[in-house]
Amino acid sequence: MPGKIRGAKPDKIKKRKKKKLPMDQIEQKVREKLEPKPQEKEPKTIPRRRSRRRSKKRWSLKDLDLKNSISMEKVKELGIWLLQIAAVILAAFFFVWYFGQRVSTVGDSMNPVLGNGDVVLVNRFVYNASSPKRGDIIVFKPKGNENSHYYIKRVIGLPGETVEIIEGRVYIDGEKLEEKYETVEISNVGIVTEKMKLGEDEFFVLGDERNKSEDSRMADVGNVKRAHIYGRVWFVLSPFDHFGFVKD
């Protein structure tokens, strides 16, 4: 049996002789070792179809480069812009609140200056700095009645004065009142049958068309207290033929 013989000494074991290869085979093997192996082609991968649904990227403050995107000049410009807008809004609110309140004229008691249905603007600011003057066309609610419509009349008597009507004309403290605006004689004196003394905060008012006017001669209206005066008429919005500033 080939192989190791039991009991035999190693030096007596016959060594197997290696077969010698011919030169052409040796050269072939050397060439194979020296020549580079051809690279294997990678298998083509089929691209996966993208899903129509795009994954939503969550936004965070870290995505903003605030230091580079926002400069101090831009911040100043934005601040100035916001201040200008605030100033315009404040000015508009001030104008509308104090000068732009609209009131409609009821009746023809203020003809020919104002007609029935005329829409006027009321100056509410003027009497914060001063008191109503004789000849002013004012807006008020009689006796402060909030359920009443606004009345528009002309100031005739001032606080502390004495008013009386003699032969269709108005007398203030015994002197005949000279009126520059167009008016008519009074045919109905109402409650002013004798001298009427005005209080320290009371005004006597009349309409220019006095025979069609419900004013201080009537008990339902009476003298107008300062606290009940809404403001002064200063502009007519409509109709177009009356459009413009009110002439006292």
Side-chain angles (χ1 to χ4, degrees), residues 40-124:
E40 296 181 357
K41 292 183 179 180
E42 296 181 357
K44 292 183 179 180
T45 56
I46 301 172
R48 295 175 64 183
R49 292 183 180 178
R50 292 182 179 178
S51 175
R52 292 183 180 179
R53 295 180 180 178
R54 295 181 178 178
S55 58
K56 294 182 179 180
K57 185 181 178 181
R58 292 184 178 179
W59 181 86
S60 65
L61 290 174
K62 294 180 179 179
D63 297 332
L64 294 176
D65 189 2
L66 296 177
K67 291 183 179 179
N68 296 329
S69 60
I70 300 177
S71 62
M72 288 304 296
E73 291 181 359
K74 291 182 179 179
V75 171
K76 288 180 180 178
E77 289 178 2
L78 180 62
I80 293 170
W81 183 69
L82 291 175
L83 285 175
Q84 289 175 344
I85 292 176
V88 170
I89 293 173
L90 185 62
F93 175 80
F94 179 85
F95 180 83
V96 172
W97 180 255
Y98 286 105
F99 300 97
Q101 296 294 315
R102 302 194 304 173
V103 174
S104 295
T105 307
V106 178
D108 294 318
S109 66
M110 287 304 296
N111 275 338
V113 177
L114 298 174
N116 183 33
D118 285 4
V119 178
V120 299
L121 295 180
V122 181
N123 184 341
R124 299 182 62 191

Side-chain angles (χ1 to χ4, degrees), residues 150-166:
Y150 284 107
Y151 279 53
I152 300 177
K153 307 296 176 184
R154 193 184 295 275
V155 174
I156 301 298
L158 302 177
E161 294 181 338
T162 300
V163 179
E164 59 182 329
I165 300 173
I166 302 172

